[in-house]
Structure formats: structure tokens, C-alpha cells
Amino acid sequence: MKRNVTIKNGELQLGGVPASALAAEYGTPLYVMEEETVRRNMRAFRSSMEEFYGEGLVCYASKAFCCKEIYRIADQEGLGADVVSLGELYTAKCAGFPMEKVCFHGNNKSEEELRAALEYGVGRIVADSLSELARLSRLAGEMGRKAPVLLRIKPGIDAHTHDFIRTGQIDSKFGLALETGEAMEGVREALALPNLSLRGVHCHIGSQIFQVEPFVEAARVMMEFLGDVKEETGAELADLNLGGGFGIRYTDADEPVPFGDYMGPVSRAVRETAEKRGLSMPFVLIEPGRSIVGEAGTTLYTTGPVKEIPGVRSYLAVDGGMGDNPRYILYQAKYDMLPACRADEPADRVYTVAGKCCESGDLLGENVPLPEMKEGELLAVLSTGAYNYSMASRYNRRGVPPVVMVKDGASRLIVRGESLEDLVQNDL
Ligand SMILES: *Cc1c(COP(=O)(O)O)cnc(C)c1O
């Protein structure tokens, strides 16, 4: 296994704490987040922004993992945050996160959400449609504010193919298209509406991307657009938000690119296009989510019955499943797994790891390499820090498990697990 896992006397250690000690203290299933990994990733993004742009803002895309503590950590590390709902915005506010460093996204924000964004003083509202621009200007007028706006643009790049393609018009519910003139119309609208202050443009080309070229191409397309905006309207917009989407390692088949390898070529494309189009360097923002928290997370489960079906497969049951990790059932996502207390044993078997929901598709993986497994063992699923807790559900009325943060041999609860009382608290 190429990934960095710490094993001591055969046992997986998380933030210096033996996995079995965490399971004994908090129970299973348990989400464990390693604080040093989160902070190291945040610092790596920040320092590469400094290296390649001198300034700029790294906004943590909090939909990947959202709770008060992650906003506190992001703030301590000097990051901004990207939010996509009133719930995320409210969580950030409750954590005391500086609102001027928040970007608010969404393809269909409600009036309540837009009002809250204005009232809280969110630094950038990323408008996704022409009707949203009008709504936002009206609300800002009613509230006696000027709304700071970025426009979400579809750069027409499909990164989710083996070799990325520049399609004419990608089919996406997000943003304004360049080819149809909709994006330029959005700019004219935003400049004309009385209560908007157009700060710049935004794009986000996808997620779990391992290639550098789609990011470079998106940066070039966006800078060319800023050049067109200046020519056609005279306005030179300051902000260029290039979104997130950097790939991480889930299994050994994944080869993530070091952050600097994206940032260098992308910043060169920005600089070259700025020079070519006679623009000043923009203020650059990026929005990594998965790449900050994904590899920092591990989920611990206790194994249940093993069912060997001769000539078919072996099922290994765990005490969680699609409720705490819906990524297999959603996208057949693959994860590396280890028996936490025999973590250095060779994986000479394969199992179908099944959850405990009443749903045949409730699996965490198929053909997962593991040593021979028994009932009542601790199983660790690696790289679950992103889009697990944040996508969790209460299907079958199972409470969402707790989240603990580990660091320097100590652990602390950062999200309580849901109790039976929590499950019925809203029932009338
Ligand atoms: C989801 C999302 C991100 C983060 O994507 P990751 O793949 O987690 O880095 C950033 N920006 C926007 C607008 C998003 O929707």
C-alpha cells in the first residue's frame, strides 16, 4: 500500500491514538479526522497560492465536511470558506467564521438564503442565473445594501473523460454559458443593476480530477472572458475564482497530483492570458474541498457475520453502511480497507463489505482485498473525510455516527453521535 498509514504493533494509529482505543471510547461506527492532515493540506494550498500568485484566497469547500470545528480550523489557517446552503452558512456563522471570507454558491438560492447572505455580510455571492441577479439586486435594495457578486460561468470543459474535452456547450445545471452569450449578458446585467457590485467570475469544472490540463484550460478560457468583458464593457473585474476538484487517493489505483503541480501551470496560464489581453493580474480564489479533508478521515466499523457463498462471493457485514457512507451506492466509489488491529497482514482474500441497512445495494465495496476476516473485529475504511459525514442519512432510523478529531495522541469529540432521543425529537 502506497498511502501513509501509521501502524504500531500491527495496529492502525490515527493521530497517534490506537484505533482500538478510539473504538472503545466512542463506539463504532466512528468517523475519525486527523487534524494534522487537515492543517497540512490547508497550509499546502495557502503556501502554493503565495508562491504562485503572491496573494489570493483559498476557500475551503465546506460541503465536503461541514461542522463548526472545521470552520474554526479553516479560520485559524487563514482560509476562506465556500458554502452552498443556508445550513452551511449558519454553521459557519455559529463557529464565528469571518463572513467577508465566505463565497456563497447554489443554482437555486432561496430569498431566505440570499437575505441571510446579505444580512450576515457574506463577501461574495456567486450568482448562477440572470433571474438570481435581478432577485439579489431587489433584495439588496430593500435592505439598503450593495451585494458583492461573482458570476458563475460554464467554461465548456468536460474534465470527466479520459482526455478532457472542450465541448461547445456542456450540459450543466450550474452557471451561465459562454457560447450563447448568456455569460456576457449576465455581466451587463450585473453591471447595470443598481444594488450589485460585480467583483468577478467563478468556474468549477468538476471533482476528483487528476489531470492538470483541464484546470489550465479553464483558467485560460476564464481569463479570455475577462478580456472580452473589458473590451465590451470597459469593466476590469478583479476576482477570478477557479473552484476546486483536485483528486485524492482513495485506493492505490489513484495517483494524485501534488497541489503545486496544478498551481504552477494554472498561474502561468492566468499570467500569460492577462498579458496577452492587457489585463492586470486578477485576485485568484480556489475552492478545494475533498483534497483538504478526504485523506484526513477514516471510518471505524465493527465487523458482523461473514457469509461465504461458495463460487460466488464472501460477504463481510459491518455495523454501518450507506447511512454513514453513501458513496458506493451513489457512484461505486472505491476505498482501501484494513483490519485495524492486524493492519500489516497481507490482504490475500477479497470481500464484499456490506452495511446493515435493509437494502441489497447497501455495500461499502466489492472485491475489497483483506486478510481472512472474523466477526467482531475492527475494520478501518480509509480516506472517508470528504462527502461521508456530510452526505450521511438516517435511513432505517439509524443515527449519524459521531466525529472525533485526533491529534498528538489525544482525541476529542467534535460532533456528537445521534441518540435515539435525537431521532424522535422532531416527531409530533
Ligand atoms: C463541490 C465544489 C467544490 C469543491 O470540490 P472538491 O472536489 O471537493 O474540491 C468547489 N467549488 C464548488 C462551486 C463546488 O460546487
Side-chain angles (χ1 to χ4, degrees), residues 91-308:
T91 309
K93 185 170 162 61
C94 290
F97 197 85
M99 288 292 136
E100 70 280 4
K101 289 167 90 172
V102 169
C103 284
F104 191 12
H105 293 276
N107 67 308
N108 183 18
K109 301 179 201 74
S110 66
E111 292 218 352
E112 186 190 15
E113 288 177 317
L114 292 174
R115 240 186 240 111
L118 290 165
E119 192 184 305
Y120 294 177
V122 161
R124 292 168 177 89
I125 300 172
V126 185
D128 200 279
S129 64
L130 298 175
S131 75
E132 186 181 358
L133 287 173
R135 190 174 316 123
L136 190 56
S137 180
R138 171 174 57 76
L139 291 171
E142 283 167 20
M143 294 170 71
R145 308 268 168 113
K146 226 171 163 74
V149 173
L150 301 187
L151 270 189
R152 177 150 184 174
I153 308 293
K154 295 185 217 197
I157 287 164
D158 186 354
H160 291 276
T161 54
H162 180 62
D163 287 310
F164 82 94
I165 41 174
R166 282 269 278 119
T167 55
Q169 160 69 59
I170 53 164
D171 176 9
S172 168
K173 71 170 182 175
F174 294 106
L176 303 171
L178 288 174
E179 294 80 358
T180 59
E182 191 186 25
M184 190 60 78
E185 196 186 336
V187 168
R188 291 187 194 282
E189 277 288 299
L191 291 170
L193 284 163
N195 307 309
L196 301 184
S197 155
L198 181 62
R199 296 182 65 158
V201 290
H202 168 274
C203 72
H204 172 70
I205 59 171
S207 201
Q208 187 63 0
I209 298 166
F210 290 107
Q211 295 165 286
V212 175
E213 304 80 62
F215 290 105
V216 171
E217 196 54 26
R220 196 166 280 134
V221 168
M222 295 296 281
M223 286 301 295
E224 291 283 359
F225 180 63
L226 288 178
D228 294 348
V229 166
K230 188 179 174 189
E231 267 171 31
E232 292 190 25
T233 71
E236 187 159 358
L237 305 179
D239 285 0
L240 174 64
N241 186 332
L242 293 170
F246 315 105
I248 68 161
R249 171 165 292 151
Y250 283 103
T251 72
D252 281 351
D254 297 327
E255 284 293 347
V257 177
F259 307 146
D261 290 8
Y262 293 108
M263 226 70 104
V266 169
S267 69
R268 274 193 296 282
V270 172
R271 192 160 283 113
E272 279 166 19
T273 320
E275 277 165 21
K276 179 180 138 205
R277 300 300 301 261
L279 301 167
S280 328
M281 268 303 273
F283 182 83
V284 173
L285 299 96
I286 57 167
E287 303 172 321
R290 188 192 311 273
S291 50
I292 285 181
V293 290
E295 292 186 35
T298 302
T299 309
L300 298 177
Y301 300 97
T302 303
T303 59
V306 180
K307 287 188 184 158
E308 313 264 5

Side-chain angles (χ1 to χ4, degrees), residues 360-374:
S360 296
D362 172 24
L363 305 177
L364 292 179
E366 288 175 277
N367 296 313
V368 179
L370 283 167
E372 185 172 353
M373 297 295 292
K374 295 186 288 289

